[in-house]
Each structure stands twice: as structure tokens, then as C-alpha cells.
Amino acid sequence: MPSPWKSRSEREPRRPPASDAGRGPAGPGPREELRLYGLNAVRAVFARRPDAIRKLYLTEGRIPALQPLLKWCVAHRVGYRVVEEEDLHRLAASAHHEGVVADVLRVEPTPLSAWLRDLPDGPQCAIWLDGVGNPHNFGAILRSAAHFGVAAVLLPKDSTLALSGAAARVAEGGAEAVPLVRLGRSDNALAQLRGAGFTLAATVVSGGRDLFATAPPARLVYVLGAEGEGMDRELASGCDLQLSIPGTGAVESLNVAAATAVMLAAWRARA
């Protein structure tokens, strides 16, 4: 069996071509692939769906920590290159790559009907993100969702929100643990979720019920609004509950990622 380590002559050039994110004419294109970076993000893909890995770049210092992955790459003829730190800066377009970058196949969101069909009975919690767009907030939400055992993150029909390398790194592996689900029209989605036994709770800055004084239903969807504009008013009014997180009033509100963590902790404590 060939050695899992590359010689210096086989290493990545100092300026890796941008086209490395995609494949050749016969393989997946850039839109079907995602460039991940960060140790936990890459390890999570390897643990859950190793066949999705298409190419790996790492610094020499990461070889010991990634030996199982490198051996897998050799056994399955997946290319990898040992590169310099500055090469990873360019590949990831970030200094926060933690010594490893991987090109992996992207998982497309599941349609709502398919997700509901396969969802087990019993207590379940999901998050509906209305207009959230910041990748770091998205990553933090996915991390909290994985920690508290959320069944899915629901994305509106016209939402452009998608997993990015930055979001996956912030999620610290959580992006692989929480399915993304694509909704249809909002009114249809509300009806489908209610038909599956879910209560929908809009999270509002003020005027809602006290989160900590309200017993959460066993099957619950938290609907959270955008970072700046907040939630669509029609959607908020169409939910079954409106919930607020009480605080001192010293600041107007928590940001959407922090609010999500608080909401999920409240559900987990009482579900």
C-alpha cells in the first residue's frame, strides 16, 4: 500500500488554483461542492459521510491529528496535499482554517414533506429561520441546535441561506448533525407542521409571553427573525404563540444566535 504521506515535491503549489474547488467536466461542479475548513468541521464530515470528501489540504503540523482521515484518503484514492499555512489562507479565504481545508459534496436541503414523513413520534424541536443571513450567526445556531438535539433547521422557500465554510467552522461539527429542510409557501408549511402536531412559536423582542413562564409543547417550532429587520409581521402573527426572552432592558435584545441558544435550553429543560 502506498505511503499516506506526500513528499515535498508533491505538495500543493504556493498559489493553489481557484478551480480546485470544483471538479473536471465529468464530475461535480463548484455549486455541488462546499469548501470546508476547521478541524471539527472536517472531522464531522469524515465521521458521518466520508464518501463526500473530494479533496483535502492540510499543514504538516496537522498530519498526526488527521492520520485516520489521511489513511482513508489513500485507501479510497482521494487526493490530498500537504501545504503551507499561507496556502490555506488563500484556499479558505480565512485565517481561521485551523490547518485543514476540504472540498466536500454539498447536502441539499430536504423537502418539508419528506422530513415530516420520516420524523419519529414524540417530542421534537425545530428552528424556522426567517431572513437570517449572517454565516457566523447561522453557524452558531447550528452548533446550539446540535447540542440540544434539534430535529432540523427549516429554511423558507425563497431563502438564500446555505451552509458555507464560515458557518460550518463556527458550527464546530454541528452542521453535519442537524438536517436543513426546505419549506414551501409559508401558509402551506404552517399547515403541514400543525398537521404533524407542531406548535409554532414566534420569538419577538417584546410583547410576547415570558419564555421562562411558558411550558413549551412537546413538538415545537421556534420561528426566529432576521438579525436587523426582525421577523416578518404576517408570519409572526400567524404563529400559535409569541414568546419573548425577559431581561434587564439594558440592551434591546439578544442577537439571533444567542436567542436561539436560550430558547433551545428552555425547551430541552421542560420537554
Side-chain angles (χ1 to χ4, degrees):
M1 187 170 92
S3 167
W5 317 126
K6 297 289 187 182
S7 68
R8 288 189 176 270
S9 63
E10 295 174 298
R11 289 182 179 180
E12 179 73 11
R14 294 298 296 244
R15 293 189 177 274
S19 60
D20 274 351
R23 318 307 303 167
R31 290 185 180 181
E32 295 172 307
E33 288 190 1
L34 173 64
R35 177 155 285 173
L36 294 182
Y37 54 92
L39 191 59
N40 286 334
V42 173
R43 279 175 165 168
V45 173
F46 178 51
R48 290 177 176 266
R49 50 188 190 104
D51 289 342
I53 299 171
R54 289 294 176 265
K55 203 160 191 178
L56 182 71
Y57 308 88
L58 71 159
T59 59
E60 191 165 8
R62 278 300 184 201
I63 288 175
L66 294 170
Q67 281 190 38
L69 173 52
L70 294 171
K71 290 177 181 178
W72 186 92
C73 287
V74 170
H76 294 82
R77 299 182 180 276
V78 173
Y80 73 86
R81 296 180 185 178
V82 178
V83 300
E84 302 298 331
E85 190 87 9
E86 54 266 34
D87 295 326
L88 290 187
H89 289 353
R90 285 189 286 271
L91 284 163
S94 170
H96 302 293
H97 48 71
E98 299 174 346
V100 60
V101 172
D103 292 335
V104 305
L105 291 180
R106 183 183 293 277
V107 177
E108 291 301 318
T110 302
L112 177 61
S113 56
W115 176 71
L116 289 173
R117 180 194 64 216
D118 297 333
L119 190 66
D121 294 333
Q124 300 286 348
C125 183
I127 303 167
W128 179 325
L129 298 182
D130 178 47
V132 174
N134 182 289
H136 295 92
N137 278 338
F138 187 33
I141 288 168
L142 288 170
R143 184 174 183 175
S144 295
H147 180 76
F148 289 110
V150 165
V153 170
L154 312 181
L155 304 177
K157 178 181 180 181
D158 298 324
S159 172
T160 59
L161 187 63
L163 188 65
S164 65
R169 184 193 64 80
V170 174
E172 293 286 354
E176 291 297 316
V178 183
L180 301 182
V181 172
R182 180 68 66 187
L183 304 174
R185 280 176 26 191
S186 291
D187 54 350
N188 288 343
L190 290 168
Q192 286 179 276
L193 289 164
R194 289 187 178 115
F198 282 95
T199 297
L200 289 104
T203 58
V204 295
V205 172
S206 61
R209 298 186 191 181
D210 184 332
L211 171 69
F212 305 120
T214 303
R219 291 170 79 85
L220 177 64
V221 175
Y222 284 122
V223 184
L224 294 116
E227 295 90 345
E229 297 80 7
M231 191 185 311
D232 178 82
R233 290 185 180 181
E234 186 176 347
L235 176 59
S237 63
C239 291
D240 306 301
L241 297 172
Q242 286 76 41
L243 297 174
S244 297
I245 300 173
T248 64
V251 294
E252 182 182 11
S253 65
L254 297 173
N255 86 344
V256 66
T260 298
V262 172
M263 295 275 181
L264 295 180
W267 176 82
R268 185 61 181 258
R270 300 186 185 187

